[in-house]
């Protein structure tokens, strides 16, 4: 980073060096609370992307591929300590960049350290397996090997968590990476490079190219990648998958959601309402796992709706850097406009607006991109409000009568990322969780995640998994080796089993 004019300005991080992009284009990154630009970022083009992939390939072939798991683990543990030591600074930078409240961004920086440690512990334990075959005169084993060079494309809402999920697993598995953060929130990923360097990773193992969709597109189309892990919208995900298909580069897709949170009448209603509340208003609703559809059994419908509607206006909106703030801004102007459009169309679709429904203003909010916590009731599942991901603090409450009806509504969107079930009946909890077509199910909790849990979706929410052992295996491949120790000469025309 260098100071140019009055704003900090960031170059690309390629091959262990800060390098300017090959073209002159730069863009400002905005603080969504002040609406002012606060740093400038380089726009990388296809030639910069190619340089980053070449640097990663060189590092892979010359050092990282031959680096022991013990050493990879040591570097990752060291990096985790450095991230922990910088968690508050990273949290502050993230809050400045994407407007998420400081308690969440600092928590995500600590999560990044946690996930680095989780995968660091695996790095020297990736030993594949010996496979007994039908014949006694061969020895067969499947070795786990890294893929090589992987591209990681990241969204703006939780950059540190996504970076941890993707990069920690990829590096522990022995890959080199090229990261493309979101144009709306690049700074923490760039600052992370300094910690990677300080930890002592060889140059070229970790590279960052910044820029907008054009840079992402260049990465998706590039030759020389062994996998792309993408987090973002379904629209961009489809384009990335199609581009990667041309070079037969495999992809992981972590896409959006329209997750149902189902409250049955027998649930502990206080806990369930709080869980539903946290599921949509946490992170200003800008999370892929937001419980944006709340399904409530009709007998307790009024009670739950009243609880949520009374509580929503009391959420403390304000400067996201202040510890007491509960809901920050929307992260950027396009997203703000999108949410406001959805609110407008929900009103015209006939959903009942119970609270919110507009821009939040006030002295403490300045010019910030705030949206009132918004609740619509009597929503039908076929409304746009119930079908499309809004990615903001907008809750759609849908009544249901029976368990079967709840399951049909819950599964009745194109998405399949997460589901929540609130009930005290264990049999029902198990039945409904089996019926959910989603990658994650929470029972009597919501939006709780951990480094150990496999995370990802089905249907339009994507494929592939992050976190957990599954997340590590996405960045490895099995190489089977068969050793023949029979003294017999084979019959050249018979199949050998
Ligand atoms: P986005 O799809 O607009 O952008 C995501 C990333 O892709 C950015 O880095 C962007 O520059 C890049 N990109 C955009 N168009 C591209 C193209 N044509 N080719 C290549 N790259 C391109 O998404 P966003 O607005 O940054 O993030 C919000 C979305 O991300 C939501 O849909 C949300 O649900 C999803 N998300 C999913 C998860 C998950 O784990 N499933 C987590 C967080 C966010």
């Amino acid at each position: 980073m260098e100071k140019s004019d009055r704003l900090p300005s960031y170059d690309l991080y390629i091959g262990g060096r800060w390098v300017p992009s090959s073209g002159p284009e730069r863009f400002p990154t905005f603080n969504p609370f002040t609406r002012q630009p606060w740093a400038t970022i380089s726009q990388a083009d296809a030639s910069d992307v190619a340089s980053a992939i070449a640097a990663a390939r060189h590092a892979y072939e010359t050092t990282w591929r031959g680096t022991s798991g013990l050493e990879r683990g040591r570097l990752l543990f060291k990096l985790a300590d450095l991230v922990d030591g910088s968690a508050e600074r990273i949290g502050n930078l993230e809050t400045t960049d994407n407007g998420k409240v400081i308690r969440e961004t600092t928590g995500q920086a600590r999560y990044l350290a946690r996930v680095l440690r989780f995968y660091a512990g695996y790095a020297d334990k990736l030993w594949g397996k010996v496979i007994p075959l039908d014949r006694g005169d061969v020895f067969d084993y499947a070795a786990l090997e890294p893929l090589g060079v992987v591209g990681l494309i990241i969204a703006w809402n939780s950059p540190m968590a996504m970076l941890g999920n993707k990069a920690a697993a990829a590096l522990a598995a022995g890959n080199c990476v090229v990261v493309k953060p979101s144009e709306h929130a690049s700074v923490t990923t760039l600052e992370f490079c300094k910690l990677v360097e300080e930890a002592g990773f060889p140059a070229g193992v970790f590279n960052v190219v910044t820029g907008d969709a054009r840079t992402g597109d260049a990465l998706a189309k590039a030759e020389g990648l062994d996998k792309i892990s993408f987090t973002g919208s379904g629209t961009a995900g489809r384009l990335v998958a199609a581009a990667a298909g041309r070079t037969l580069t495999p992809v992981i897709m972590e896409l959006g959601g329209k997750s149902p949170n189902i409250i049955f009448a027998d649930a502990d209603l206080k806990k369930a309402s709080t869980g539903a509340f946290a599921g949509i208003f946490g992170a200003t609703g800008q999370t892929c796992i937001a419980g944006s559809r709340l399904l409530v059994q009709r007998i307790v419908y009024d009670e739950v709706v009243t609880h949520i509607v009374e509580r929503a206006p009391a959420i403390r909106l304000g400067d996201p850097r202040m510890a007491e703030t509960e809901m920050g801004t929307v992260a950027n102007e396009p997203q703000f406009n999108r949410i406001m459009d959805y609110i407008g169309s929900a009103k015209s679709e006939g959903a009942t607006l119970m609270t919110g429904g507009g821009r939040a203003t006030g002295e403490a909010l300045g010019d910030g991109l705030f949206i009132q916590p918004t609740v619509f009731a009597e929503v039908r599942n076929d409304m746009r409000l119930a079908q499309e991901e809004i990615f903001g603090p907008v809750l759609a409450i849908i009544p249901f009568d029976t368990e079967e009806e709840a399951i049909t509504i819950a599964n009745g969107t194109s998405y399949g990322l997460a589901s929540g079930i609130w009930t005290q009946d264990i049999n029902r909890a198990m039945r409904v969780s089996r019926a959910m077509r989603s990658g994650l199910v929470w029972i009597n909790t919501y939006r709780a995640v951990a480094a150990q849990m496999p995370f990802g979706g089905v249907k339009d929410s994507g494929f592939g998994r992050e976190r957990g052992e599954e997340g590590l295996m996405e960045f490895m491949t099995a190489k089977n080796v068969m050793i023949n120790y029979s003294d017999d000469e084979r019959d050249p025309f018979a199949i050998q089993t």
Side-chain angles (χ1 to χ4, degrees), residues 154 156-157 180 183 216-217 230 232-233 236 255-256 288 389 391:
I154 287 176
W156 45 257
N157 62 318
K180 206 302 268 175
E183 61 275 33
D217 180 58
F230 174 86
S233 62
L255 309 176
C288 53
E389 183 185 48
F391 220 58

Side-chain angles (χ1 to χ4, degrees), residues 453-471:
M453 294 165 40
F455 181 101
V458 297
K459 297 159 60 186
D460 285 359
S461 293
F463 46 84
R465 289 294 177 267
E466 288 189 335
R467 314 180 196 216
E469 196 165 74
E470 290 79 357

